[in-house]
Amino acid sequence: MREPERYDIVIIGTGPAGRRAAIQAAKVGKRVVTVDRQRYVGGQAVHRGTIPSKTLREAVIHVTGVGQRAFYGAAYRVMSNVTMDDLLRRTAQVVQSEVDVVRDGFLRNDIDMLNGIAHFEDPHTLAVHTENSILELRADKVILATGSRPARPAHIPFDKARVVDSDGILDLHSIPKSMTVVGAGVIGTEYASIFATLGVTVTLIDGRRDLLEMVDEEIGEALKYRMREDGITLRLGHNVSSVEFDARGRPVTVLETGAKVVSDLVMYSIGRHGATGLLNLDAAGLNADSRGRLKVNQHFQTDVEHIYAVGDVIGQPALASTSAEQGRLAALHALGIACPEIDDDQLPIGIYTIPEIALIGKTEEQLTLAGIAYESGVARYKEIARGAIIGDDFGILKLLFDPDSRKVLGVHIFGSQASELLHIGQAVMELGGTIDYFVETIFNYPTFAEAYKVAGLNGVNKLLR
């Protein structure tokens, strides 16, 4: 084996966290190499997670014409006889585009790229098994951005066709007539909503009694109502004991109560594990927890101070946007450059159900539990001209604010363009703004942004009363 190749920073993984870390380090003149086990850069977010699932969602919205049904009736469709090939063709195009963008960014910044599986030989040395050889890398700093993988319990009979995880859902050859989704977290609710929009009979099962515990209760209730309207059967408060197959080869989801749900497809989506199993962490002096995750401090340093970990591999919030910022900040700290810390209370969250959910700050339940006084202002899309124009009369935008200081404490949206709309509220919150900003600002008409003014007026008028 040749002498180890020396780098300032070795980054394992090229998803949002690894990509941002690599480019940040390269921008200040450091010699950087990335290692990814995938043949193409981009990580799980580009190939199996964020990008393909959100592209699939947009394709479904387009081909089903769901946004136009308020005008033309519930039976309206842009395309009939939609196939998985129709949907995944668009997904493949977007994935390739994102791969090209990431690769171009690495090339323009003189970042070396290796395709292979890396493991530690000692805290500063890694061996990379490529297709044709084994390379040794020596680094001053190491950033682990290896992401996560779906949890696959041994008692669930995954077979890539009838019982799949959230990765396998993208390999389906046809659209099932019926589907059981086990797990009502973000991924489960998103896919349940997507396939229900396609006309699939969906059953969503979870041991918890509420969907999406981080979501404001009123927004969560609106989501449940919409899901039931779309034909989704919600089995909340029910745990799954096993998955079997009936005489016709169909998967049968067996609940602890003994009830059985028969469908053409089961998507099992309960939890994810950090992708650390191949890193040989012991050689670096590190240990992962039972779910493969690494513990870090506020600067994303592990127990070995020159080794950092960012993104899904350190657990919550496990958002692509947050992971990218973690990667940037970890690279800056590793290079001794002053940088701020992430404020976990001000993280924007987007959940891509149909319609989508977005939130930032505190919920009503959190404020009540903490004994913090608040007032709310609400706007409904049916009051907003833009909602009527595009056919969304279901959406809601809620502002929570302190009745004394009038500072905004939370923004919660359920409806079209919620994830984009949220960032107006985020900017006001980050700058310490008050509810009066929304009341006194003139928004373009007709836009969804106008909902902020309506909600602001609604809240302020409650104080006047």
Side-chain angles (χ1 to χ4, degrees), residues 240-252:
V240 172
S241 62
S242 64
V243 177
E244 305 168 350
F245 297 98
D246 68 9
R248 294 170 53 187
R250 296 175 302 176
V252 180

Side-chain angles (χ1 to χ4, degrees), residues 12 118-127 142 144 278-286 306-307:
I12 312 300
H119 71 261
F120 283 100
E121 294 189 327
D122 63 51
H124 284 278
T125 308
L126 293 113
V142 178
L144 303 177
L278 300 176
L279 288 173
N280 190 27
L281 292 173
D282 288 347
L286 293 173
H306 74 276
I307 301 176

Side-chain angles (χ1 to χ4, degrees), residues 367-426:
L367 292 171
T368 300
L369 191 63
I372 298 173
Y374 70 92
E375 189 53 87
S376 66
V378 174
R380 301 189 183 277
Y381 280 21
K382 64 183 179 182
E383 305 171 273
I384 308 300
R386 186 68 177 171
I389 289 169
I390 73 164
D392 186 347
D393 59 0
F394 193 82
I396 179 174
L397 184 150
K398 178 194 285 189
L399 300 175
L400 304 177
F401 63 99
D402 186 305
D404 295 322
S405 70
R406 300 164 85 98
K407 284 192 174 181
V408 181
L409 304 174
V411 181
H412 305 275
I413 313 171
F414 179 44
S416 301
Q417 301 180 26
S419 57
E420 300 283 353
L421 196 57
L422 182 74
H423 295 300
I424 297 173
Q426 178 187 20

Side-chain angles (χ1 to χ4, degrees), residues 179-185 188-189 192 202-208 211 232-243 252-256 259-263 266-270:
M179 176 181 182
T180 300
V181 178
V182 181
T189 54
V202 177
T203 301
L204 180 59
I205 302 172
D206 197 287
R208 295 165 292 190
L211 297 173
I232 298 174
T233 299
L234 299 177
R235 296 236 181 165
L236 303 177
H238 292 269
N239 291 307
V240 172
S241 62
S242 64
V243 177
V252 180
T253 304
V254 183
L255 307 183
E256 288 183 348
K260 297 182 178 182
V261 181
V262 181
S263 58
V266 171
M267 188 185 90
Y268 193 93
S269 178
I270 295 185

Side-chain angles (χ1 to χ4, degrees), residues 96-117:
Q96 185 57 54
S97 173
E98 283 299 298
V99 168
D100 292 343
V101 168
V102 176
R103 187 172 183 275
D104 181 62
F106 286 172
L107 291 173
R108 284 188 291 105
N109 287 281
D110 297 321
I111 296 167
D112 291 343
M113 293 173 278
L114 291 176
N115 169 225
I117 298 174

